[in-house]
Amino acid sequence: MSGRSEVSLPSADAARPRTCPKCGQPAYERGEVWIHGHGVVQRQQRGPVTPGGVAVKREVACRRYRCKACTAVLTVLPEAALARKHFSGAAMALALALWGLCGWSAAQVRALVGGRMQAGGPSRGWRTLARWARQVADGALWASLDSRAQGEPRQVAARVAQALCGLAPPWARAAGLPHQAFAGASHVR
């Protein structure tokens, strides 16, 4: 389960944030650049690249910038990546759809999406699914969805998966709900 990123890295100017999220300084002011390129870092991304694909662990390139005003270092993630998550947003959406909408067991979802297994022991589930559902309910994950569902984690997973299905592009609507959630995840942060 490994590989390199197939996504091309955008130019430093194309990925540069318009303002510093820490201090609000504009990237350009009076002809001067205030948010400078500060290199490229690699981040781990887990999960399948396509809804029916095999789970992989790959490295994705992320641009970094430094604000001259407050010295904050900013990392700009690719569209598929979520802050502080090892799984891609699409893989997380697929997992929540399979668990919440399709009724798969946590162990089945883990086997497909690629969660790490304990060495030498049988799979007893995947607590990460419930944690992701709680983060959605708290507004910490996919906050722009505005789907703060209440209830048990599996119910919350079903609700967020439905919301992500609604964001799927027209070409994905003929596919099953997990495929729609996978495709819809790329349209939300």
Side-chain angles (χ1 to χ4, degrees):
M1 185 164 96
S2 65
R4 300 295 282 172
S5 173
E6 306 87 34
V7 179
S8 63
L9 190 63
S11 70
D13 284 333
R16 185 183 324 274
R18 292 178 191 241
T19 61
C20 174
K22 305 283 187 207
C23 70
Q25 172 66 44
Y28 301 99
E29 190 173 61
R30 288 178 251 127
E32 187 174 353
V33 178
W34 282 83
I35 299 177
H36 286 271
H38 196 59
V40 175
V41 294
Q42 298 293 320
R43 280 222 18 215
Q44 180 187 106
Q45 282 284 263
R46 292 176 170 267
V49 178
T50 61
V54 176
V56 296
K57 180 174 79 174
R58 62 192 180 284
E59 298 287 324
V60 294
C62 305
R63 289 220 176 261
R64 289 184 354 149
Y65 297 87
R66 186 168 187 153
C67 176
K68 284 178 28 180
C70 69
T71 69
V73 176
L74 318 170
T75 302
V76 177
L77 302 173
E79 189 173 88
L82 295 174
R84 295 174 290 287
K85 300 292 180 211
H86 284 288
F87 285 85
S88 69
M92 293 168 66
L94 176 65
L96 291 173
L98 292 170
W99 189 56
L101 293 175
C102 299
W104 285 29
S105 72
Q108 290 172 311
V109 175
R110 181 184 210 169
L112 180 74
V113 177
R116 283 187 275 191
M117 305 294 231
Q118 294 289 10
S123 175
R124 290 187 293 236
W126 197 19
R127 292 182 299 195
T128 300
L129 293 170
R131 184 174 64 240
W132 289 342
R134 282 192 305 275
Q135 290 172 349
V136 169
D138 294 341
L141 178 61
W142 291 312
S144 64
L145 270 184
D146 195 31
S147 65
R148 294 186 184 204
Q150 300 299 314
E152 295 299 314
R154 196 180 282 253
Q155 294 170 322
V156 173
R159 170 71 191 255
V160 73
Q162 288 172 335
L164 291 167
C165 287
L167 297 173
W171 59 263
R173 300 237 167 108
L177 293 176
H179 291 250
Q180 291 178 38
F182 186 96
S186 65
H187 298 285
V188 66
R189 281 281 182 180

